[in-house]
Amino acid sequence: MKIKHYTLPEHALGGQRQLSHFHFGAPGTGEKVYLQAGLHADEIPGMLVLHYLKRLLSQAERRGELRGEIILVPVANPPGLAQVLLSGGIGRFDLASGRNFNRDFPDLAALAQPYLRAPSPGSRREYLQQVRAAMREALAALPVVSEVQALRHHLLGLACDADLVLDLHCDDQAILHLYADPAWQREAKVLAAFLGIGAVLLSQESGGHSFDEACGLPWQRLAARDSSRSQQQPGCMAVTVETARPAGGGSRHRLRRCRTSLSLSAVPRRTGRREA
């Protein structure tokens, strides 16, 4: 395991925060998986999940069981985690701007387009390398004017070239569910089955530039703009996983009952009604 730290720009005179991420496996030896939690910094269960997953991945890496690269960001929003008002955490919205932390991520399709100078290559591997290189180059060229903007750019930079992105959130008034792009409906059902999730909500673009769509949607947009890319499968399956935050034993019982009674399904997600 390699631990890397990114120092965010000053949020106040003389004050800086740090984002930590944990790297497992070897880049370029297989697929890349990116997992983060706590983008809404008051949603704790996902952070706890990745805390324990980090230990399991360390053990698997020592046994030589990992193929590819895995990046974990257990606490993806240090600025939000620091927001406390009258002894209560306010981690969903940036108090400085009033904006949802899981909105306003850069549109990588528009940004990467000027960097795609050559025609789309023939092989799948070359195509993925070309688009991902353009995305990284475009992100590196973006100016940074605030701490939260720098955080968004850095998180997207870690994830934009991943094959699979899981953004962990939680909901205290819903059963376990996940959001996915319709292009990955079959794979999302498989993922949901492994995670014991009973509902898969599908939408290609719900609006607001959320993190998962900032990772996955650019592939469809770039393909729509260039006929040479239109037959290519998107290069990133990005999913938001909504874990549960039960308040007590009764809630846990109701949650278990819902999970066993609701069959695995995929239903359209209404535009503009997204909670994550």
Side-chain angles (χ1 to χ4, degrees):
M1 178 179 70
K2 295 181 180 179
I3 305 174
K4 298 183 180 181
H5 305 287
Y6 172 66
T7 301
L8 294 163
E10 288 188 350
H11 62 277
L13 187 62
Q16 285 184 290
R17 287 182 271 255
Q18 196 173 66
L19 178 74
S20 299
H21 31 94
F22 304 85
H23 299 247
F24 303 87
T29 59
E31 293 187 332
K32 176 179 175 179
V33 178
Y34 173 88
L35 302 96
Q36 72 174 27
L39 185 55
H40 286 150
D42 53 354
E43 298 177 3
I44 306 300
M47 302 186 208
L48 186 62
V49 168
L50 295 194
H51 170 74
Y52 284 104
L53 180 59
K54 180 176 64 174
R55 182 186 304 171
L56 295 174
L57 288 174
S58 295
Q59 295 170 355
E61 187 175 46
R62 286 195 295 269
R63 294 192 297 265
E65 296 174 351
L66 298 185
R67 293 178 294 177
E69 179 185 11
I70 301 174
I71 297 178
L72 295 188
V73 186
V75 182
N77 187 359
L81 197 62
Q83 292 186 160
V84 178
L85 180 64
L86 300 177
S87 301
I90 303 176
R92 185 178 182 85
F93 297 96
D94 175 21
L95 290 180
S97 66
R99 295 292 296 169
N100 190 322
F101 281 114
N102 193 21
R103 298 294 185 270
D104 304 326
F105 280 86
D107 178 3
L108 277 180
L111 293 171
Q113 185 69 56
Y115 295 91
L116 294 170
R117 304 177 184 92
S120 178
S123 75
R124 171 72 175 170
R125 181 176 181 180
E126 291 173 338
Y127 168 70
L128 295 176
Q129 289 175 341
Q130 182 196 65
V131 175
R132 287 168 177 166
M135 289 179 175
R136 290 191 296 265
E137 194 173 355
L139 272 175
L142 284 180
V144 172
V145 298
S146 71
E147 180 190 36
V148 172
Q149 189 181 66
L151 175 69
R152 289 192 178 105
H153 292 181
H154 189 72
L155 292 175
L156 193 54
L158 291 172
C160 70
D161 58 353
D163 298 277
L164 174 64
V165 171
L166 299 183
D167 186 17
L168 275 60
H169 290 254
C170 78
D171 196 316
D172 56 0
Q173 296 181 349
I175 62 169
L176 303 177
H177 60 285
L178 61 82
Y179 299 110
D181 190 298
W184 298 98
Q185 179 173 346
R186 182 178 62 84
E187 292 83 355
K189 285 186 175 183
V190 173
L191 174 64
F194 273 107
L195 297 178
I197 291 177
V200 178
L201 309 180
L202 300 174
S203 177
Q204 187 173 89
E205 185 172 2
S206 61
H209 298 281
S210 61
F211 179 78
D212 61 342
E213 292 182 356
C215 294
L217 190 56
W219 294 90
Q220 284 92 328
R221 288 178 172 170
L222 288 171
R225 296 173 183 175
D226 187 342
S227 58
S228 66
R229 298 184 176 90
S230 61
Q231 301 303 315
Q232 293 280 1
Q233 174 77 0
C236 176
M237 175 181 169
V239 174
T240 291
V241 179
E242 292 280 357
T243 62
R245 182 169 46 183
S251 298
R252 283 194 292 269
H253 174 71
R254 287 193 297 272
L255 177 62
R256 286 195 297 268
R257 187 172 60 187
C258 288
R259 286 178 59 187
T260 55
S261 63
L262 182 64
S263 61
L264 184 63
S265 60
V267 296
R269 185 173 75 208
R270 293 182 181 178
T271 301
R273 294 294 300 276
R274 179 177 186 148
E275 295 298 325

